[in-house]
Structures are given as structure tokens and as C-alpha cells.
């Protein structure tokens, strides 16, 4: 649109009149009479009148000055009007101009099509990619951030325009072939999935679609009102900027009102020396057309070049209290662990060659760990366990003070024949970081106190000064990252602030007690601040304890 511009003009009018005076008139001077009528005229005009009587001559001078208005190219207002976009808007969208460089608007509902006619006022001519844009006329695709340029007489200005939809998260539509919900963890349902990125997510505006299968997943979380899911594709698929894979977990995070604890644990993993930590993305999920809330889509723990890269001969094992109740579990028990070890990969049968191979390796490693020479580098625990992954895994889980690790479930380890046993990857932290009621089951949610250090295997490792020194040295690294960790929490909370409200409208978790919550903090920001305060105290306490060792 061509902007309103104003020229600069300077006009000086001098009127001189000479009048005769009689000698009887007394020569007298009057003070100049000044009339400022600028407020009554156009904002770019000031008129000043001076009248001077001197001796027998009166001089009247009028000066009219037109002051130049700021003609810098700019956008003065930017809107999306329902009247001009009736097919995909249900109300007007008033955009905010931030720091005179970003134009940001929020469509309060799902918008799969972001082709809109904008209404705006500008100083200068507006274009996108050198194509003119006219207010109330030009159709613009806002599915991605766009660069909007305003050209003035001598210079130009660029804005980035971001039009968000709904909560600003990617939107995922899942439709089952039979149109029914998912009621079981045992059987897959066939269906179709469509995921659309929002304007500022990893691949803005991109749409992913594929056929898939879906079923329920999780242990205790499956019994909660908001259900977690497992999605499986026929072939490896990549979406939301994550490497391709066949199996994906849709984490509900119902028990975690901040919805950040899994994300926090995986962030710690991403800055650690662990070989792989699951990547995750948040999304709004619709199942058969009905809104299900905010989910965290995560890479599933499975053997893959982009995930657990252990080749065809490697094993993924899990300390898993639920294994005895699962029909497909292939597990064994050890002398010192309270819970069995379940072989998750490869597919084995009870007591076949591969099963016995993994079982024997764990038995030998545990025997060396608790043997009389367990500190010996050649014959002790270091012969069997990878010390770096053991230290990294321990520190992250101790910071999280997770209830599950070692003593219950979700404790993964990998082993490739001919190599050492590695701890990890990380998994399942929704009831960690202080988000668990204290009770008679050994759970302690206070930020003080050791949790993982007191569990089998780890308590024995702390009897070795070599392991203790490794922990002390490595913890300094994590402690030095505390400010960055807090900044990550703040950024994630800001990203989720609108989606959390929509999720709460659906599930009513804020201000209410949910399973294993220690306290009810009310608003979402209170939940986030509680998490940060707990973590800050926890990391300070651990530093003090490790420094004393």
C-alpha cells in the first residue's frame, strides 16, 4: 500500500506597513504579541505572529513554518479482519508490533490454511520478496515467517511477520480407521496421522501425513485420565525436525503440571556424555476430531542408527518391576537388584542362546562389582561397566531424584558383546524433580537427601574412591551449567504457556491434586517457579555434599 507522505515547505511572509504618527503621540513600545496556534492547525504547522511598534513605525511580521513530520518507512498497524477472511477466521486478529521489527499475531483457533488478506497502514510502499502488497487486497501465505519490507523515499525497513495459530505449537491430527478411541495397550489400531508445524517451530508450516498404527502405552500412566500412546509406522518416518524412526511415544505428562520434567531430564542428557538421549517435541493432539491436550512426542528407545546405535548384536535391557506381568517380557533376576532385568531388544525367547548370553554378562558384571577386588581396574567393576556412562547416568538421575531409577523401572542399559555395559538412555521423569509424594515406598520428594546413591549397584560404587572422584569432578560441569538449565526451563515454559491453558481446560489439572503430586501450586507459572526453586536447592545441596567427600 502506498503510504501517506508529507513534504517539507518553508514559507516566510514579511508584511511591512508604514503609518504616519502625530508628534502628540507618545513613542511607546509594546511587547511582542505571540500567538501559538499550533494545536489548532495541522500537526506539522506552527504560526507565530510578532507585532512591534517602534517610534512612528509599526512592523507586523507573520512567520509560518511547516515542520517536517517523521517520514521513516514503517508499519503503523497490522490486522487480519474477519470480514475479509471469512472462510478461515472467526474473529479479527489484531497484531502487535514489537520493537518496530516483529509483527506478531495469534489466531485463537486451529488454522490449517494461513492464506489471509492483511489490513495495514504504513508509511511507505510495502512488498514481500519484491512483490507489492496492498492492504485489503493482496492474499499472503502466513504459514511461515515472512519478511515484509517498507520502502520510503530514501531508505527501507524490514519486519518479520509471525502469525501463530491456536497455542503456537504444532498440531497433530490422529484418525483411527474405525473412528473409535484407543482403549488398550495390547492391540494396535490402524489409522492416519497429520502433523502441521506452526510458524516458529522447526520446519515452519510443513505438513507431514502418513498411515500408521496406534495403541496405548505406559505403566502407571496408562491408568490416568489423559492417555499416553505409541505410534508405529510401516517405514521409518521423519517429522518435527527429528531423525527418521518407526516407533514414537506420545507422552501425556498428566502427572506433571509443569509438563517440563521429562523435557528437563532430556536436556540434561543432551549436554552430557551419554551416547544418545531421546529427542522430543511438544504438539497439540486431536484424536478422531476431539482435542486431547498437549503431548510430548518422543523418540522411542529402540535400536536404530539415529537412536540406540548398537548394531544387530547389541542388547537393550531395562530394570523393570512390571516385566513379570507382561506377556511379551523376557526377563531374569540378579542377586542384588530388587527388580528383574527385561531384555527389550533383540527379540529373544526365554533361555535361548541370546537370552543366556545377556544374562551371563550381567551376572559376571554384578559378581565383579560386589567381589572382594571390585576396585581393581582389571578384575573389578571397571572391567564390565563403562565408567563414563555410569557417572553421567548417576549424576543426572541424582539431580532429578527420580523415584524409578534402579529401584523400580525405566532404568535402561545397553551391551554389545565384546564391549562394556553402558548405562542409559534416560527415560521417564514425570514424577521426578520433587514431583512425588513422600510415603512408605521409599519416595522422598525433598530437594535434600540422596536417592540414587542409596540404591543397589550405585551404593557399592560409592565404596570405590575412584568412582567418587569421578562423580565429584563431573558434577562440577553440571553445576556450572545451572544458569543455562534455568534459562532452558524459562524458554520452555514460555513456549508452553498458551498450550498449558488449553490442556487444563480439557483436563482440569491445575489447582487440583493429581497422582503423586506432592503439593498444589495453583497457576502454571507457580508450578514452573516451584520446579526451578526445587532444582536450585537440589543442585546446591549436591554440590555441598560432593565437596565434602
Amino acid at each position: 500500500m502506498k503510504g501517506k507522505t508529507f513534504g517539507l515547505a518553508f514559507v516566510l511572509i514579511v508584511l511591512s506597513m508604514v503609518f504616519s504618527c502625530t508628534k502628540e503621540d507618545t513613542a511607546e513600545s509594546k511587547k511582542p504579541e505571540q500567538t501559538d496556534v499550533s494545536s489548532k492547525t495541522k500537526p506539522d504547522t506552527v504560526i507565530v505572529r510578532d507585532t512591534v511598534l517602534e517610534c512612528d513605525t509599526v512592523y507586523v511580521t507573520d512567520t509560518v513554518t511547516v515542520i517536517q513530520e517523521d517520514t521513516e518507512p514503517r508499519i503503523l498497524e497490522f490486522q487480519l479482519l474477519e470480514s475479509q477472511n471469512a472462510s478461515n477466521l472467526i474473529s479479527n486478529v489484531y497484531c502487535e508490533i514489537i520493537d518496530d521489527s516483529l509483527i506478531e499475531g495469534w489466531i485463537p483457533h486451529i488454522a490449517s490454511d494461513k492464506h489471509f488478506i492483511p489490513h495495514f497502514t504504513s508509511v511507505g510502499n510495502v512488498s514481500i520478496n519484491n512483490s507489492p502488497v496492498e492492504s485489503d487486497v493482496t492474499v499472503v501465505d502466513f504459514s511461515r515467517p515472512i519478511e515484509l519490507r517498507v520502502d520510503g523515499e530514501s531508505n527501507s525497513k524490514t519486519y518479520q511477520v509471525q502469525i501463530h495459530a491456536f497455542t503456537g505449537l504444532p498440531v497433530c491430527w490422529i484418525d483411527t480407521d474405525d473412528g473409535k478411541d484407543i482403549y488398550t495397550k495390547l492391540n494396535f489400531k490402524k489409522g492416519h496421522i497429520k502433523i502441521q508445524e506452526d510458524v516458529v517451530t522447526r520446519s515452519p508450516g510443513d505438513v507431514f501425513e502418513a498411515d500408521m498404527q496406534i495403541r496405548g502405552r505406559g505403566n502407571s500412566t496408562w491408568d490416568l485420565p489423559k492417555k499416553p500412546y505409541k505410534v508405529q509406522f510401516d517405514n521409518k518416518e521423519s517429522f518435527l525436525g527429528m531423525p527418521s524412526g518407526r516407533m514414537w511415544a506420545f507422552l501425556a505428562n498428566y502427572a506433571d503440571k509443569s509438563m517440563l520434567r521429562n523435557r528437563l531430564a532430556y536436556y540434561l542428557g543432551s549436554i552430557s556424555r551419554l551416547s544418545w538421549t531421546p529427542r522430543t517435541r511438544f504438539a497439540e493432539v486431536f484424536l478422531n476430531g476431539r482435542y486431547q491436550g498437549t503431548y510430548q512426542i518422543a523418540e522411542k528407545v529402540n535400536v536404530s542408527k539415529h537412536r540406540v546405535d548398537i548394531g544387530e548384536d547389541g542388547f537393550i535391557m531395562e530394570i523393570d518391576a512390571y516385566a513379570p506381568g507382561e506377556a511379551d517380557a523376557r526377563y531374569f533376576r540378579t542377586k542384588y537388584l530388587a527388580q528383574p532385568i527385561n531384555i527389550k531388544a533383540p527379540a529373544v525367547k526365554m533361555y535361548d542362546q541370546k537370552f543366556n548370553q545377556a544374562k551371563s554378562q550381567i551376572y559376571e558384571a554384578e559378581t565383579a562389582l560386589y567381589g572382594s577386588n571390585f576396585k581393581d581396574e582389571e578384575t573389578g567393576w571397571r572391567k564390565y561397566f563403562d565408567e563414563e556412562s555410569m557417572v553421567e547416568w548417576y549424576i543426572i538421575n541424582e539431580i532429578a531424584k527420580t523415584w524409578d531409577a534402579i529401584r523400580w523401572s525405566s532404568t535402561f542399559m545397553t551391551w554389545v558383546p565384546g564391549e562394556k555395559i553402558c548405562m542409559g538412555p534416560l527415560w521417564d521423569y514425570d514424577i521426578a524433580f520433587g514431583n512425588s509424594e513422600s510415603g512408605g515406598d521409599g519416595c522422598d520428594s525433598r530437594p535434600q537427601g540422596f536417592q540414587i546413591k542409596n540404591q543397589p549397584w550405585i551404593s557399592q560404587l560409592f565404596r570405590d574412591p575412584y568412582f567418587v572422584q569421578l562423580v565429584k569432578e563431573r558434577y562440577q560441569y553440571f553445576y556450572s551449567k545451572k544458569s543455562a538449565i534455568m534459562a532452558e526451563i524459562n524458554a520452555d515454559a514460555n513456549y508452553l504457556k498458551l498450550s498449558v491453558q488449553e490442556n487444563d481446560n480439557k483436563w482440569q489439572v491445575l489447582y487440583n491434586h493429581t497422582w503423586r503430586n506432592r503439593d498444589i501450586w495453583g497457576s502454571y507459572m507457580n508450578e514452573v517457579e516451584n520446579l526451578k526453586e526445587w532444582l536450585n536447592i537440589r543442585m546446591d545441596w549436591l554440590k555441598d555434599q560432593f565437596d565434602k567427600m
Side-chain angles (χ1 to χ4, degrees):
M1 172 182 177
K2 187 174 181 180
K4 300 176 182 178
T5 59
F6 300 90
L8 174 63
F10 292 96
V11 180
L12 178 62
I13 304 173
V14 179
L15 301 176
S16 301
M17 300 179 61
V18 181
F19 300 93
S20 297
C21 300
T22 62
K23 293 182 178 180
E24 288 80 13
D25 293 335
T26 304
E28 146 180 46
S29 298
K30 293 184 180 180
K31 295 181 179 179
E33 176 187 341
Q34 297 187 357
T35 305
D36 184 356
V37 294
S38 61
S39 62
K40 301 177 182 178
T41 61
K42 293 189 301 182
D44 55 351
T45 304
V46 174
I47 300 174
V48 179
R49 174 177 291 109
D50 290 345
T51 303
V52 180
L53 174 62
E54 183 176 343
C55 194
D56 58 355
T57 305
V58 177
Y59 298 94
V60 180
T61 303
D62 280 2
T63 303
V64 180
T65 305
V66 181
I67 302 174
Q68 183 182 17
E69 181 180 312
D70 183 4
T71 58
E72 286 294 311
R74 66 180 56 187
I75 296 294
L76 302 177
E77 64 168 346
F78 200 97
Q79 304 173 37
L80 304 177
L81 302 180
E82 178 192 359
S83 60
Q84 296 171 340
N85 302 277
S87 63
N88 49 9
L89 279 184
I90 61 174
S91 62
N92 293 340
V93 176
Y94 299 94
C95 299
E96 181 180 5
I97 301 174
I98 302 172
D99 296 329
D100 207 25
S101 62
L102 172 65
I103 300 173
E104 189 173 40
W106 292 85
I107 302 169
H109 54 80
I110 299 297
S112 57
D113 181 6
K114 287 188 178 180
H115 288 81
F116 299 109
I117 298 173
H119 168 82
F120 56 87
T121 304
S122 66
V123 179
N125 299 318
V126 177
S127 64
I128 298 174
N129 295 329
N130 296 320
S131 297
V133 177
E134 186 175 352
S135 177
D136 303 319
V137 175
T138 307
V139 177
V140 178
D141 181 4
F142 291 101
S143 61
R144 290 170 169 79
I146 64 170
E147 296 296 325
L148 184 148
R149 193 179 72 193
V150 187
D151 292 313
E153 294 181 355
S154 60
N155 58 348
S156 63
K157 187 171 188 60
T158 301
Y159 295 82
Q160 184 178 85
V161 184
Q162 298 177 0
I163 303 299
H164 308 270
F166 196 34
T167 65
L169 268 62
V171 179
C172 174
W173 292 272
I174 296 175
D175 295 293
T176 58
D177 287 354
D178 62 6
K180 296 180 180 179
D181 287 343
I182 291 87
Y183 298 108
T184 177
K185 299 189 299 178
L186 300 178
N187 302 313
F188 279 103
K189 278 179 178 285
K190 292 183 178 181
H192 187 80
I193 189 171
K194 175 183 176 181
I195 301 176
Q196 181 170 2
E197 292 268 21
D198 192 57
V199 69
V200 294
T201 46
R202 275 119 324 245
S203 303
D206 281 3
V207 177
F208 166 81
E209 290 193 67
D211 292 330
M212 53 89 213
Q213 300 181 78
I214 184 171
R215 66 169 175 81
R217 64 162 303 279
N219 293 309
S220 52
T221 54
W222 177 247
D223 296 324
L224 300 176
K226 184 183 177 186
K227 304 299 183 184
Y229 303 111
K230 177 182 178 180
V231 168
Q232 181 172 292
F233 299 101
D234 290 337
N235 301 302
K236 292 183 178 181
E237 302 285 357
S238 174
F239 54 88
L240 299 180
M242 294 184 284
S244 60
R246 287 188 63 234
M247 293 182 286
W248 302 83
F250 281 58
L251 308 178
N253 288 323
Y254 181 85
D256 176 15
K257 294 184 174 72
S258 77
M259 305 194 82
L260 296 175
R261 286 175 168 84
N262 274 311
R263 173 75 181 95
L264 172 57
Y266 300 149
Y267 175 74
L268 293 174
S270 72
I271 64 173
S272 76
R273 293 172 177 169
L274 291 174
S275 60
W276 176 76
T277 296
R279 284 159 286 233
T280 69
R281 301 288 187 265
F282 290 102
E284 305 292 10
V285 173
F286 289 77
L287 178 60
N288 294 321
R290 293 185 297 276
Y291 178 63
Q292 298 299 308
T294 304
Y295 278 73
Q296 189 174 6
I297 304 176
E299 295 176 300
K300 194 80 172 62
V301 177
N302 64 281
V303 179
S304 170
K305 181 179 179 181
H306 298 299
R307 298 183 183 180
V308 183
D309 189 8
I310 54 176
E312 296 180 358
D313 295 330
F315 292 84
I316 299 177
M317 293 172 277
E318 177 189 4
I319 299 175
D320 183 9
Y322 299 98
E326 297 175 353
D328 60 346
R330 302 293 182 263
Y331 65 92
F332 58 88
R333 296 184 179 275
T334 73
K335 181 177 180 180
Y336 294 95
L337 293 178
Q339 307 301 340
I341 294 179
N342 189 9
I343 300 177
K344 307 293 286 187
V348 299
K349 295 181 179 180
M350 294 290 284
Y351 308 114
D352 68 6
Q353 186 271 332
K354 296 288 286 184
F355 177 94
N356 289 330
Q357 184 183 22
K359 177 182 176 181
S360 296
Q361 182 67 15
I362 296 297
Y363 276 17
E364 287 184 29
E366 189 179 71
T367 299
L369 175 61
Y370 284 91
S372 58
N373 296 321
F374 78 98
K375 299 176 186 178
D376 188 273
E377 181 179 1
E378 300 297 329
T379 61
W381 69 271
R382 280 186 277 172
K383 177 181 178 180
Y384 296 92
F385 290 98
D386 176 73
E387 58 190 61
E388 182 174 86
S389 67
M390 182 67 80
V391 170
E392 301 289 292
W393 182 92
Y394 164 71
I395 290 175
I396 293 172
N397 281 276
E398 192 69 87
I399 291 173
K401 204 175 185 181
T402 174
W403 181 80
D404 283 321
I406 291 189
R407 67 177 302 277
W408 194 252
S409 66
S410 300
T411 301
F412 287 96
M413 66 191 81
T414 63
W415 175 60
V416 176
E419 300 179 12
K420 296 182 179 182
I421 299 166
C422 293
M423 297 301 293
L426 304 174
W427 192 255
D428 196 6
Y429 292 86
D430 57 335
I431 57 172
F433 298 101
N435 188 38
S436 192
E437 295 172 305
S438 300
D441 54 8
C443 177
D444 183 357
S445 61
R446 298 173 303 159
Q448 302 86 5
F450 284 109
Q451 176 78 8
I452 314 304
K453 176 177 175 290
N454 300 327
Q455 301 306 317
W457 287 12
I458 305 299
S459 59
Q460 179 69 4
L461 287 171
F462 265 90
R463 294 180 58 200
D464 184 353
Y466 177 79
F467 180 79
V468 173
Q469 187 60 33
L470 291 178
V471 169
K472 292 178 62 174
E473 292 174 358
R474 190 58 182 156
Y475 184 75
Q476 295 302 318
Y477 163 78
F478 285 95
Y479 190 80
S480 71
K481 298 292 184 180
K482 188 166 70 168
S483 294
I485 296 168
M486 296 299 178
E488 189 72 14
I489 293 174
N490 289 337
D492 288 334
N494 184 64
Y495 180 55
L496 292 177
K497 63 184 179 183
L498 296 179
S499 66
V500 166
Q501 293 303 318
E502 293 295 335
N503 184 81
D504 191 59
N505 291 340
K506 171 73 175 179
W507 298 108
Q508 300 292 303
V509 291
L510 297 174
Y511 298 92
N512 293 305
H513 181 271
T514 57
W515 174 75
R516 293 215 79 95
N517 286 167
R518 179 185 62 156
D519 297 302
I520 301 172
W521 294 96
S523 71
Y524 178 65
M525 292 314 299
N526 284 349
E527 292 288 345
V528 174
E529 288 303 314
N530 169 61
L531 170 60
K532 290 162 57 180
E533 181 181 1
W534 186 96
L535 182 61
N536 186 57
I537 295 172
R538 177 68 175 164
M539 294 190 75
D540 286 348
W541 185 87
L542 286 173
K543 183 179 186 304
D544 181 64
Q545 296 301 308
F546 290 142
D547 287 347
K548 293 176 182 177
M549 292 182 181

